[in-house]
Amino acid sequence: MKLLGIGSRINHAEYGKGVITNVTSQHYWVTFIENGLETIDLNSDFDVIEAAHDDVDTVSFLDVETSLVNILKKWSDATEVVAIADKYKGGTLILQPADDSLKPYELPIDKFFHKITMVRDRLRVMEQRINASDLDAQQKVDLQQYITRIYGSLTSFNVLFKSDTH
């Protein structure tokens, strides 16, 4: 087994894609896109996406993490993973028409939650693209105001999100 260096990119079966940010005598410290910082054994089972063999720590963990977050925000649709509130897991959203002769529409609440989360995530990407676009300042402000109103409308669904207070 050849030791991977800091900056190597891997794909772990349990944690997903990540970047090695530190190497100790027994572990890799890996910052995973969806699971944050985890330590895994050097002999763990994972796929190497891109190997870096310079194992000298010339960059701090904070620098690597900050850079990775900035790159992901700028170039991908990946965003933070937000959990649904435990009380709704496995539940059903039922839309009951006023007319009793009509059948109600049922949707797994997990699926509905996913759709709301995807709308929010796509708004964030749109916001980033507007900010990076060649539009003039006033056009950017106008579009940002629309996006802000849409975010405001989405707050109705905050009850679905996991919260430390509930």
Side-chain angles (χ1 to χ4, degrees):
M1 171 188 84
K2 181 152 178 139
L3 194 63
L4 294 172
I6 293 170
S8 296
R9 296 185 312 145
I10 65 167
N11 189 11
H12 191 275
E14 182 179 350
Y15 300 118
K17 292 181 181 176
V19 176
I20 295 175
T21 55
N22 195 9
V23 181
T24 66
S25 61
Q26 297 178 352
H27 297 99
Y28 290 120
W29 291 25
V30 184
T31 301
F32 291 98
I33 293 171
E34 294 183 6
N35 292 292
L37 179 64
E38 296 288 340
T39 56
I40 60 173
D41 292 336
L42 293 178
N43 60 356
S44 292
D45 187 31
F46 56 81
D47 296 323
V48 177
I49 297 172
E50 183 179 330
H53 298 293
D54 178 14
D55 61 351
V56 177
D57 187 3
T58 57
V59 180
S60 73
F61 169 73
L62 180 60
D63 292 338
V64 172
E65 183 178 35
T66 302
S67 296
L68 180 61
V69 167
N70 289 338
I71 289 167
L72 290 173
K73 283 181 180 177
K74 184 173 182 177
W75 297 107
S76 81
D77 292 345
T79 59
E80 64 182 312
V81 175
V82 180
I84 189 170
D86 292 338
K87 63 185 173 184
Y88 294 113
K89 287 182 181 173
T92 304
L93 178 68
I94 301 171
L95 299 174
Q96 178 67 51
D99 183 347
D100 290 334
S101 68
L102 297 174
K103 183 178 174 184
Y105 177 75
E106 294 187 17
L107 177 70
I109 203 155
D110 294 342
K111 191 172 188 176
F112 178 75
F113 175 79
H114 177 72
K115 289 178 183 286
I116 293 297
T117 303
M118 292 305 296
V119 167
R120 184 200 61 191
D121 292 347
R122 289 179 180 146
L123 276 173
R124 287 180 180 164
V125 171
M126 182 189 304
E127 193 171 23
Q128 291 167 356
R129 291 188 179 167
I130 288 169
N131 288 334
S133 75
D134 293 336
L135 295 171
D136 68 45
Q138 186 58 50
Q139 290 172 318
K140 287 182 182 182
V141 168
D142 292 344
L143 290 172
Q144 287 289 350
Q145 288 175 346
Y146 284 115
I147 290 174
T148 299
R149 289 183 201 129
I150 295 168
Y151 278 134
S153 298
L154 288 176
T155 60
S156 303
F157 302 106
N158 284 353
V159 68
L160 293 172
F161 294 87
K162 190 173 222 170
S163 170
D164 295 336
T165 60
H166 296 139

